[in-house]
Amino acid sequence: MTYYEKYEHATGRIAPPDAWRLESLFNQIESRQLLPPRGQQAVNLGLPAHSLNDSTANPSLYNYYQWVLRHYFKNQTLNELTAKLIGMAFVCNHIFKTDLPQPLSLNPWQRDQMLDYPLATDRAVIVENNGIFALLATQHPNWSLINQGGNDFQTDYVTLMQRLEARGIRFTYLGDLDAKGIQIADTLFCQLKETSIEDFFSATN
């Protein structure tokens, strides 16, 4: 019996139209597989990114998802990557030449110490979404990544980005192609001084 059939049998209500999409996810939870951040879970199922973590995005599907978690997985901790990152200014993966565990979180008072710190790469991908950054850093631990973290353009972040750019790092940007994502990309690009638009939006950088 599928989870949506169990839901209908237990509640007497019809499962939401997209309930079938969650079957593979529930099977992965049941077998304790490592899951990507929740937004990516939704995208992998063909759903909008906020479907499973925002009750207003698709209320009926969200409530169904929560119902299944409460009734079938309440004693099981979900084995999923978090999109919550520690760090007030700058989070990166294999940008600086260090033996410290990656990703590396820098706070504002560490900025000046890193301006001329030895670099481990001359190319990096800037990732807009925290969850995608966490997923890529897990699946490709040696990739050079910088977390942009949405629309939070702190002075320390911008200063470090401009300094890395001046030292020869080429940036490529990975973000959402909705109106907000394009606005964020444009804001960041305008903060950079030496990066070409071709490099910034190049899929092959």
Side-chain angles (χ1 to χ4, degrees), residues 115-128:
L115 292 177
D116 294 302
Y117 200 89
L119 300 177
T121 184
D122 61 0
R123 297 185 178 187
V125 177
I126 304 166
V127 184
E128 175 203 332

Side-chain angles (χ1 to χ4, degrees), residues 4 17-26 42 44-47 61:
Y4 59 84
D18 283 327
W20 62 272
R21 293 183 182 272
L22 275 61
E23 284 300 300
S24 60
L25 174 61
F26 293 141
N44 289 348
L45 298 172
L47 298 167
L61 187 66

Side-chain angles (χ1 to χ4, degrees), residues 40-154:
Q40 187 62 39
Q41 293 173 35
V43 171
N44 289 348
L45 298 172
L47 298 167
H50 298 295
S51 298
L52 303 181
N53 54 23
D54 182 349
S55 62
T56 65
N58 186 335
S60 61
L61 187 66
Y62 176 87
N63 291 334
Y64 165 72
Y65 168 71
Q66 291 294 328
W67 186 93
V68 173
L69 292 185
R70 286 195 307 271
H71 288 82
Y72 291 96
F73 303 107
K74 64 180 180 180
N75 297 321
Q76 180 176 327
T77 300
L78 297 187
N79 186 21
E80 61 183 358
L81 295 173
T82 181
K84 296 179 180 179
L85 301 178
I86 300 172
M88 295 170 58
F90 195 87
V91 180
C92 64
N93 196 64
H94 292 291
I95 298 298
F96 299 102
K97 191 175 295 184
T98 174
D99 292 329
L100 291 172
Q102 302 291 321
L104 186 66
S105 281
L106 303 174
N107 288 299
W109 55 87
Q110 298 172 301
R111 182 196 68 183
D112 291 346
Q113 301 172 52
M114 305 306 293
L115 292 177
D116 294 302
Y117 200 89
L119 300 177
T121 184
D122 61 0
R123 297 185 178 187
V125 177
I126 304 166
V127 184
E128 175 203 332
N129 183 278
N130 288 352
I132 300 301
F133 176 91
L135 178 63
L136 290 176
T138 300
Q139 294 184 341
H140 305 282
N142 295 320
W143 282 14
S144 297
L145 307 170
I146 296 173
N147 180 58
Q148 199 284 307
N151 57 2
D152 187 8
F153 294 99
Q154 298 186 46

Side-chain angles (χ1 to χ4, degrees), residues 15 19 72 95 110 116 160 167 182 186 197:
Y72 291 96
I95 298 298
Q110 298 172 301
D116 294 302
L160 266 172
R167 296 179 65 191
I182 293 171
D186 180 67
I197 193 71

